[in-house]
Amino acid sequence: MTAITDLTVINPATDATITTLAADTPASVSEVCEAAAAASAAWGQETAFARAAMLQAAAARIRADVDQIAGVITTESGKPILEAQFEVQWAADVFDFYAGIARSRGGRVAPAASPTTTNLVLRTPLGVVGAIVPWNYPVLLWAWKAAPALAAGNCVIAKPSPETPLSLPAVVAHLDLPKFVHNIVQGGSEVGDALVGDARIDKVAFTGSAAVGKQVLVRCAEQAKRSTVEMSGHDAMIVWDDCDIDLAVQATLFATFTNGGQVCTAAERIYVRDTIYDSFVARFTQAAQKLSVGDPFDPHNDVGPLVSRAHRDRIARYIADAAAHGARIETGGSAINGPGAYFSPTVLTGLSHEAMNGLGEIFGPVAPIVPIASFEEGIAKANDNRFGLSAHVVVRDLGLAMRAARDLRAGTVWINNPLMDNLAAPFGGFREAGIGRELGEEGFDAYTESKHVWIEHELAEQYWWFEGRKAMVAALAG
Ligand code: NAD
């Protein structure tokens, strides 16, 4: 566990220091937990309509200030400005969506247990939610947690990644909620761990790496604390030979190089039908070479820098390991000289399926392509992985598409349109990619506790109570 006292924020496009801010400490995290716990009773008792109205007003303010918030994301993470703007708009949409869900999802009436009974199932807030987020979508992945948690009547304490500590305050400034209903703590693993370990935190919602997610799961299990963990991905893309090959190239390019490949659901194992493999690799390599890499504020650029020089070194090590396992570099493969954490979009061939699995998650602008002889082989290889966050398929044949939908063991299956989220549908992973779901009605229920209320319409003697039993025994005795 590393204790960070100051967070130095670097612009990865220029290497310039943007600012330095003080990190929280376990003691200050404890104070925030106390304040949030104290605020949670009143927030939980607001009507769903009042909370929904506040969240919708926040969404409108966020939407009105997209450019400013997106600018902060781009400055500290290197995300291309258009993608940062989309991210902020989607985050506003999440607040609107959960305002709507909160208005309509108030529990249910269970079938009555007797003619004199009413049985209610109430959805009650959990209390205080600790929301721990990574750097690659610092606003969107927070919104997936904070919006449903707040809509359901919980207070939130969010912890951004130390790589991107400025984006969250930039968007949270638009919430305008009662004091201590939404809070931010800043820092690294020590601060995250203090949040997870605090008894006043009723649920932890985590997105990040599998290594850290598993530690969070263990800490939550020790405390019987609720948790949702979204972890790493190492997702497959199957490209079948009945599609327009140039469109298939474009779809795969988007699935691999969006946000410089720093997407948990990026296509990182690309399985292409052997009949079109050579042609696909040639066209894909050419298209990757045409991607313009540069200043993330220039909307003409497709790919910005990686989030940091340290992360770029990680990607360079991946390429070296891949080469040692027989990978051929079709294009790219190295850092771009000069200021900033830029890395060339890279295409690899020659890796075996086993070697790709052994090398693990990439999280960078690298596309390993492997031939497959049959659709079944593609599905089997896609499924043969520790993770199962998502899977992408480009295919025209409806029968094959439906087979992929049925047989791929992943939380999301994208057919002919990669990386699309639908707020109304759940997102999450199979196997080591995570436990639990965000988005959809599932993503709201995850921030509530079900409570059964039995209402007997009148207080009356029941035959199984002690007096009733005596009467029954006496009657039986004759
Ligand atoms: P990370 O696991 O290093 O950090 C994630 C967050 O956890 C950060 O805020 C970090 O400070 C915090 N943290 C670190 N140690 C902690 C501890 N002991 N206790 C509590 N919190 C702690 O991940 P990252 O490098 O920020 O993000 C990249 C990873 O996130 C990739 O593996 C990627 O696949 C994954 N990711 C997953 C999804 C998904 O939805 N499944 C989405 C985006 C990113």
Side-chain angles (χ1 to χ4, degrees):
M1 211 75 55
T2 342
I4 307 174
T5 47
D6 291 319
L7 303 175
T8 302
V9 194
I10 310 276
N11 179 339
T14 61
D15 299 333
T17 298
I18 303 167
T19 186
T20 300
L21 50 122
D24 273 280
T25 61
S28 66
V29 170
S30 174
E31 283 169 21
V32 177
C33 291
E34 185 64 30
S40 70
W43 181 245
Q45 283 165 18
E46 282 283 3
T47 65
F49 297 104
R51 287 195 298 260
M54 286 186 240
L55 297 188
Q56 265 185 313
R61 285 189 292 271
I62 293 169
R63 222 172 257 122
D65 216 2
V66 165
D67 291 350
Q68 185 263 332
I69 303 166
V72 178
I73 298 176
T74 294
T75 305
E76 68 173 354
S77 75
K79 177 171 291 180
I81 189 68
L82 286 178
E83 292 181 26
Q85 287 164 351
F86 289 151
E87 175 171 355
V88 179
Q89 279 156 1
W90 295 333
D93 293 348
V94 178
F95 275 79
D96 274 339
F97 176 76
Y98 280 111
I101 292 276
R103 285 192 179 99
S104 61
R105 203 162 172 80
R108 63 191 169 91
V109 179
S114 80
T116 58
T117 308
T118 298
N119 294 85
L120 303 178
V121 182
L122 304 183
R123 290 203 169 280
T124 60
L126 297 168
V128 183
V129 171
I132 299 178
V133 287
W135 46 261
N136 65 329
Y137 284 88
V139 168
L140 185 65
L141 296 175
W142 158 80
W144 287 10
K145 298 164 181 54
L150 293 167
N154 301 281
C155 287
V156 171
I157 304 176
K159 193 201 84 61
S161 162
E163 304 277 358
T164 51
L166 304 178
S167 302
L168 203 47
V171 71
V172 165
H174 298 74
L175 290 188
D176 196 23
L177 298 175
K179 215 158 184 248
F180 300 122
V181 166
H182 189 285
N183 312 268
I184 298 177
V185 291
Q186 295 281 10
S189 55
E190 190 195 37
V191 168
D193 187 64
L195 198 56
V196 174
D198 195 291
R200 289 156 296 193
I201 297 291
D202 299 285
K203 169 168 180 158
V204 175
F206 168 89
T207 300
S209 62
V212 175
K214 286 178 190 174
Q215 290 173 28
V216 168
L217 273 176
V218 169
R219 294 277 278 132
C220 287
E222 285 165 355
Q223 306 165 76
K225 187 171 281 189
R226 277 98 189 104
S227 63
T228 301
V229 290
E230 300 282 6
M231 305 195 279
S232 310
H234 190 202
D235 293 343
M237 177 138 192
I238 300 172
V239 180
W240 202 236
D241 64 354
D242 60 355
C243 293
D244 179 307
I245 192 161
D246 289 318
L247 280 176
V249 163
Q250 286 306 316
T252 312
L253 214 58
F254 178 73
T256 307
F257 295 116
T258 293
N259 197 24
Q262 301 165 121
V263 181
C264 52
T265 46
E268 299 192 345
R269 299 179 291 131
I270 301 163
Y271 299 102
V272 178
R273 175 104 204 247
D274 51 10
T275 48
I276 56 163
Y277 178 77
D278 290 340
S279 164
F280 182 90
V281 168
R283 293 183 206 205
F284 186 82
T285 301
Q286 221 176 28
Q289 285 162 344
K290 281 196 195 138
L291 289 172
S292 60
V293 183
D295 178 5
F297 272 100
D298 181 344
H300 299 101
N301 286 330
D302 302 307
V303 179
L306 297 180
V307 72
S308 65
R309 281 182 170 253
H311 189 57
R312 182 172 77 168
D313 292 345
R314 231 200 98 247
I315 302 301
R317 281 198 297 279
Y318 178 91
I319 304 278
D321 287 348
H325 283 82
R328 194 169 47 252
I329 298 170
E330 302 287 340
T331 187
S334 56
I336 297 174
N337 286 333
Y342 292 95
F343 198 93
S344 303
T346 299
V347 179
L348 301 179
T349 54
L351 275 178
S352 67
H353 162 73
E354 291 72 22
M356 281 197 301
N357 273 349
L359 290 165
E361 185 184 33
I362 306 173
F363 221 59
V366 182
I369 312 181
V370 170
I372 45 166
S374 67
F375 203 73
E376 290 66 32
E377 183 187 349
I379 288 183
K381 288 187 165 160
N383 288 342
D384 177 32
N385 191 271
R386 316 167 34 198
F387 305 110
L389 190 55
S390 75
H392 314 260
V393 188
V394 287
V395 63
R396 193 170 195 161
D397 182 292
L398 181 63
L400 293 180
M402 294 312 294
R403 198 183 306 168
R406 186 193 63 195
D407 294 343
L408 282 166
R409 305 272 306 144
T412 305
V413 176
W414 282 294
I415 295 172
N416 295 327
N417 202 352
L419 298 181
M420 299 306 295
D421 294 318
N422 178 340
L423 300 182
F427 178 92
F430 281 30
R431 302 189 292 283
E432 292 183 45
I435 298 182
R437 290 293 180 269
E438 298 190 294
L439 296 184
E441 291 173 351
E442 294 87 340
F444 179 83
D445 295 351
Y447 294 98
T448 65
E449 198 86 78
S450 292
K451 183 193 286 180
H452 170 213
V453 180
W454 174 300
I455 302 170
E456 195 66 38
H457 301 165
E458 260 184 72
L459 180 63
E461 181 69 38
Q462 307 293 341
Y463 71 82
W464 54 88
W465 290 4
F466 293 112
E467 286 304 315
R469 275 194 239 171
K470 280 187 195 129
M472 191 170 65
V473 171
L476 285 174

